[in-house]
Amino acid sequence: MCAAKDKKPGYDSEFMGCYLKIKLRGEIDHHSASSVRTAIDSEIYQKKPRGLIMDMSAVNFMDSSGLGLIMGRYSVMNELGGEVIVTDPNPAIEKIMNLAGMERVIKIKHTKQEAIRATPKVKGRRCTAKKPADK
């Protein structure tokens, strides 16, 4: 049936300058978050972006697993010296994110243009994030 196909979780990715843009789609719940998390982490470690833009415009439902997905990518990017920007969450998802206090550590923007303005300009073409300091 077509309706089930529309709700299939997943994401698309695009490299924009030194930022990896992930466009999440569908429902982010316990069942979908694990596979999406693994795939995104693989791209992050392979491409080593300076930042991750998580476009939420095509996400129609998110529970606490979605919060974990976002915060986990924040931890990965923080480890690599990068940042996370979330764009265009619907009002219900933004409310969940704000109740969890995510706006204190993650930039939440409402348009792609706001997200692009929030990314620092990087001279040159080198996009490898800073390596974490040795302990």
Side-chain angles (χ1 to χ4, degrees):
M1 296 233 152
C2 292
K5 189 174 184 183
D6 293 338
K7 292 185 178 185
K8 183 179 177 187
Y11 74 96
D12 298 311
S13 66
E14 168 187 9
F15 210 66
M16 298 172 33
C18 293
Y19 280 71
L20 177 61
K21 179 185 173 200
I22 300 293
K23 183 169 184 168
L24 296 162
R25 62 180 183 275
E27 298 181 0
I28 304 174
D29 57 18
H30 174 71
H31 299 291
S32 63
S34 179
S35 61
V36 171
R37 175 178 41 250
T38 302
I40 292 171
D41 284 353
S42 179
E43 280 200 62
I44 290 171
Y45 285 116
Q46 179 185 15
K47 296 178 180 174
K48 303 241 189 294
R50 295 216 176 175
L52 178 66
I53 298 172
M54 299 182 80
D55 181 344
M56 306 288 285
S57 63
V59 175
N60 51 32
F61 172 82
M62 182 176 85
D63 64 11
S64 61
S65 298
L67 294 175
L69 173 72
I70 295 168
M71 290 308 295
R73 290 343 87 221
Y74 169 78
S75 293
V76 169
M77 290 304 301
N78 192 43
E79 177 185 307
L80 296 173
E83 67 177 335
V84 173
I85 300 171
V86 172
T87 63
D88 202 18
N90 71 38
I93 290 174
E94 185 170 10
K95 182 177 181 179
I96 291 169
M97 293 171 64
N98 289 335
L99 287 171
M102 293 177 74
E103 78 283 356
R104 290 178 286 185
V105 294
I106 294 175
K107 295 176 186 175
I108 300 173
K109 302 297 178 183
H110 293 89
T111 65
K112 181 180 175 181
Q113 290 76 22
E114 285 181 6
I116 291 170
R117 282 193 298 268
T119 61
K121 302 298 179 222
V122 179
K123 292 184 179 182
R125 306 197 100 223
R126 186 170 174 231
C127 292
T128 303
K130 296 180 277 185
K131 295 187 184 214
D134 291 330
K135 295 182 180 182

